[in-house]
Amino acid sequence: MDIVILKDSDQVAAYGAALFRRLLHDKPDAVLGLATGGTPIALYRRLIADYSDAMLSFREATTFNLDEYLGIDPRDPQSYRSYMRRELFDPVDIDIANTFLPECAAGENPLDVGPRYEQLIRSKGGIDLQILGIGQNGHIGFNEPTSSLVSRTRIKTLTRETLAANRRYFDAPALQPQLAITMGIASIMDARDIVLLATGSRKADAVRQSIEGPVSSMWPASALQMHERVTVLLDDAAASQLAQRDYYDWVQQQKQELLNERGGA
Ligand code: GLP
C-alpha cells in the first residue's frame, strides 16, 4: 500500500485528481471506477475544473459506479445516478451512454443485476482506476462488515450504522432504501489500480483497522492489503490513529528524493 498523508481534504482531492489526469492523458478511453458519498465530491470538483481548463477530457472514457440503492427511481435526487450526474457527469464531456451503475431496470429481476454488471465490466476490459471512500465501519462500496472477501456484485442489506450515517440525505427515514446493489470485494480487487480516499477524524478508526489491522471481513477495506497497487490518500485527521504514521511519511519522503534524483539525472 502506498500511504500518502496530506494536510487537508483539499490536498487529498488535488492528489486524487492528478492521478485521474495522468490516466486519462495516457489512456483517453480508460475505464474509471467511481464512488459516491461526501468524500469524493472535492475530487470531482477538481476534475470538473480541470475539464473546464481543457486539461482533461472524458469523451472516450467509460465509468462504472460501485453501488446504487435498490428500488430507487434513477431520477430521484438521492439515487447515485442523480448524484453522479450532478457531481460529475453533466458538467463534463462524458458520453452518458458510457456511464454505468448497478441499476435494476424496470421489470428486471434484482438477482440478475449483479452477474450482468460483472459481465459488462469484463466486456469493457476491466476497471483501470477504482476510487473508493470508506464507511465508518470499514465498508467499501456497500460491502458491509462480514461481506465475503471474494464477493461479487450483489444485493446487500445496509447496516443500521450505514443507514444512520446516510440518513441526512433523505427527507424522511421512510424514503431511505434499506437495500443496495454493490460491486463485491472481489469485483473491486479486479481493478488494476485502486485509490482509497479518507478524510476527517470520523474515519480514523476504520482507516487504522483497515491498514494496520488483520485482513478480516469485519473491516472490509482491509482486503485492500491483498491488492498490489493501492494508494491510500488521507488527511491528517483520518491518519490520526495510525501507529506507523512516521514510517509512512518517511517512505513518501524517500520516494520523493528518488524521483528528484532521477529527474535531475
Ligand atoms: C456510502 C457509500 C460508500 C462511501 C461511504 C462513505 O455508504 N456507499 O461508497 O465510501 O458511504 O461516505 P462518505 O464519503 O460520505 O463518508
Side-chain angles (χ1 to χ4, degrees), residues 75-174:
R75 289 160 304 180
D76 185 312
Q78 296 317 325
S79 74
Y80 284 166
R81 166 64 73 185
S82 297
Y83 168 108
M84 287 312 304
R85 290 200 77 130
R86 209 166 42 233
E87 304 298 344
L88 184 66
F89 297 160
D90 288 349
V92 300
D93 61 347
I94 199 156
D95 180 351
I96 286 291
N98 293 334
T99 65
F100 302 99
L101 288 90
E103 296 165 292
C104 186
E108 187 179 19
N109 180 344
L111 295 174
D112 293 340
V113 176
R116 174 174 61 74
Y117 202 60
E118 294 280 331
Q119 170 55 32
L120 194 57
I121 296 173
R122 271 197 303 276
S123 74
K124 301 288 181 189
I127 292 172
D128 290 302
L129 177 63
Q130 175 68 57
I131 169 177
L132 296 174
I134 183 169
Q136 281 166 251
N137 60 5
H139 75 212
I140 45 178
F142 270 133
N143 292 285
E144 299 285 33
T146 71
S147 284
S148 161
L149 299 183
V150 293
S151 49
R152 292 276 161 193
T153 307
R154 69 213 183 289
I155 300 170
K156 280 299 287 183
T157 302
L158 306 182
T159 60
R160 288 188 203 289
E161 197 180 357
T162 297
L163 289 170
N166 291 341
R167 187 148 297 147
R168 63 187 190 278
Y169 297 119
F170 292 87
D171 291 339

Side-chain angles (χ1 to χ4, degrees), residues 183-194:
M183 272 168 57
I185 294 178
S187 335
I188 293 169
M189 296 287 282
D190 280 349
R192 286 183 266 284
D193 276 279
I194 298 181

Side-chain angles (χ1 to χ4, degrees), residues 26-93:
D26 294 348
K27 190 179 179 187
D29 61 348
V31 179
L32 310 174
L34 301 178
T36 53
T39 312
I41 288 182
L43 164 59
Y44 295 150
R45 297 218 167 123
R46 292 237 170 208
L47 295 178
I48 294 167
D50 288 347
Y51 162 73
S52 305
D53 295 343
M55 286 163 71
L56 61 77
S57 167
F58 293 88
R59 209 173 41 246
E60 295 175 50
T62 297
T63 66
F64 285 95
N65 263 80
L66 285 167
D67 44 20
E68 179 55 286
Y69 290 114
L70 182 61
I72 201 163
D73 189 306
R75 289 160 304 180
D76 185 312
Q78 296 317 325
S79 74
Y80 284 166
R81 166 64 73 185
S82 297
Y83 168 108
M84 287 312 304
R85 290 200 77 130
R86 209 166 42 233
E87 304 298 344
L88 184 66
F89 297 160
D90 288 349
V92 300
D93 61 347

